[in-house]
Amino acid sequence: MAEGESEDRDRRKPASDEARSAFIQPYGVESGVIEDDQPTSEFSAPVGTAAAPVEPEGSAFALPATYSGKHSPSAYTPGQGYPVSRIGDSPWQDRMRTMLRMPVGDRPVPEAVQRVSEDSGPAVGRVLDLTLRIGELLLAGGEGAEDVEAAMFAVARSYGLDRCEPTVTFTMLSITHQPSLVDHPVSATRTVRRRGTDYNRLAAVFRLVDDISAHEMEVSLEDAYRRLAEIRRNRHPYPGWVLTAAAGLLAGAASTLVGGGVVVFFAAAIGAVLGDRLAWLFAARGLPEFYQFVVAGMPPAALGVALKLAPIDVRASAVITGGLFALLPGRALVAAVQDGLTGYYITASARLLEVMYLFIGIIMGVLVVIYLGLHLGGAEPNPEEALQITQRPVLQILASMVLVFTFAILLQQERSTVLIVTLNGGVAWATYGALHYAGGIPAVPSTALAAGLVGLFGQLFSRYRFASALPYTTAAIGPLLPGSATYYGLLLIAENRPDVGLASLTNAAAIAFAIAIGVNLGSEASRLFMRIPGAASAAKRRAAKRTRGF
């Protein structure tokens, strides 16, 4: 009985507070009834109100229901504001260069210049393909990497593609488009396998980019593809025999520029024509460009050695020098230095390597002929003759203009630009002659100042016509090329005096770099000081910030 009474007493004993759950209903309160004085949660919904619908659980990176990429505000505004308040008033080259230097988050939202579909938006794949094809033609034509990226960026933004990043190297083009922060990026690449000098095609591509970027022009994707196909199929403005004759006239004018007479003029012209034909023959057989330059330098050197052996009182060294003027890769050198100065070091290194290979090919071709002439023919060279240039100002200015005129034809320029670049080259040589011969200033700074004028006037002409600056600058630097210093160094090396010969070749390289830097500096000066009406507050192109060695 004692045990039964103990169990009954335990059942009547109230439960301990520690044993009671905090979430069970208290004693004396009916289930479901909430008294006024009962404490409740401050987050609970009042009695009688409908419960809010529960949102389905989803990803934190999903787009909001009210999101519209077309009308979305900028994600970030810097403290100083956007530096492109009236950027639309400036030419497309300046606008695109400016935005390429800006961080992606600071770039203004693009306004589609060309008509795109309102429902599905721009055809991303076709726009990227068109952009790469345009960039390929520009890069293959010798345009600088910065201008190629600016053109690609202009085409992409004109068709409404935001967050595009074009990348240009020596043989590869790529562009990446990221539709939004949550979508996968779309990338496309294209390889440049063939290069050709055709400034007429280059100018046509620039006109196409200018029309695509213009608000008053309507160029659909189909129209852009059609015009691009016409540009590719377009024939060169000059036939092959005109190009061969222009190469001969260029070499003859260059020989006159360094002191040659009538006999030397025709000898240099014939040697350049033979070298040009040999180079075309090697190109048709599929041999690399290096060997084409080797054989192109042999005929002028052979004619120069032959005149040296003949009992004729002529300036034989001017024949070889004239042939070198027609072969020196000034166009590739200017493009290489321009890419290096604007921060495209990979492309600049590749272009400089190309220039080095071509220059070594020229040296090999000329040096073999000179060596054979010295050691087999018994010719007595006179190296100092190459540097003793007779001063004939009027004749030299005319010869320089003929040289530039024929150089422009070899570059396949438009006929409307040949006269302008010829005058630009004449001014450059007159400036160099006044500084070097009359003023006694060394060759390197004189060349840099003359090339600076070439770059300045060429950039002004190009901005006036909204075109590339290459047709107005490349041919104009022809008279400034270091043909005499190159021949002098080669002759000394053939005489087994490599120390003095290498010093002369180093001087020739310094003159060549002075040309390239001068052209680039003149171009930058025109962008720095020239103001466009209505665009006084346009953003300036930001330069890359550099460290001071650490």
Side-chain angles (χ1 to χ4, degrees), residues 92 100 128 131-154 164-176 188-192 195 335-336 338-340 342-351:
W92 67 266
L100 282 173
L128 295 184
T131 302
L132 289 175
R133 291 178 183 272
I134 289 177
E136 178 191 11
L137 287 180
L138 294 176
L139 186 62
E143 191 62 72
E146 184 182 35
D147 292 327
V148 176
E149 284 194 0
M152 295 172 63
F153 197 64
C164 283
E165 284 296 330
T167 305
V168 175
T169 58
F170 187 59
T171 58
M172 180 71 71
L173 296 167
S174 65
I175 184 169
T176 301
T189 60
R190 195 171 184 88
T191 303
V192 180
R195 300 177 183 274
Q338 178 183 354
D339 288 342
T342 51
Y344 296 85
Y345 298 114
I346 297 178
T347 307
S349 301
R351 289 186 190 272

Side-chain angles (χ1 to χ4, degrees), residues 240-241 243-245 247 271-283 295-296 299:
W241 66 269
L243 299 180
T244 302
V273 168
L274 293 176
D276 182 75
R277 289 294 91 191
L278 281 176
W280 276 102
L281 180 63
F282 274 52
V295 299

Side-chain angles (χ1 to χ4, degrees), residues 9-99:
R9 189 170 52 251
D10 290 340
R11 283 195 298 268
R12 292 194 303 268
K13 184 179 179 180
S16 174
D17 293 337
E18 297 179 358
R20 184 187 303 129
S21 172
F23 299 97
I24 64 175
Q25 199 77 359
Y27 292 106
V29 178
E30 297 181 4
S31 177
V33 179
I34 301 177
E35 298 180 355
D36 293 339
D37 56 350
Q38 181 182 345
T40 58
S41 173
E42 56 183 313
F43 297 102
S44 60
V47 179
T49 59
V54 180
E55 295 185 1
E57 183 179 358
S59 173
F61 297 97
L63 292 176
T66 58
Y67 177 81
S68 175
K70 185 176 181 180
H71 303 93
S72 61
S74 301
Y76 170 72
T77 302
Q80 68 275 15
Y82 287 123
V84 286
S85 55
R86 285 191 287 175
I87 197 171
D89 297 333
S90 57
W92 67 266
Q93 294 98 324
D94 293 338
R95 289 187 280 119
M96 297 305 115
R97 290 191 191 102
T98 299
M99 282 188 282

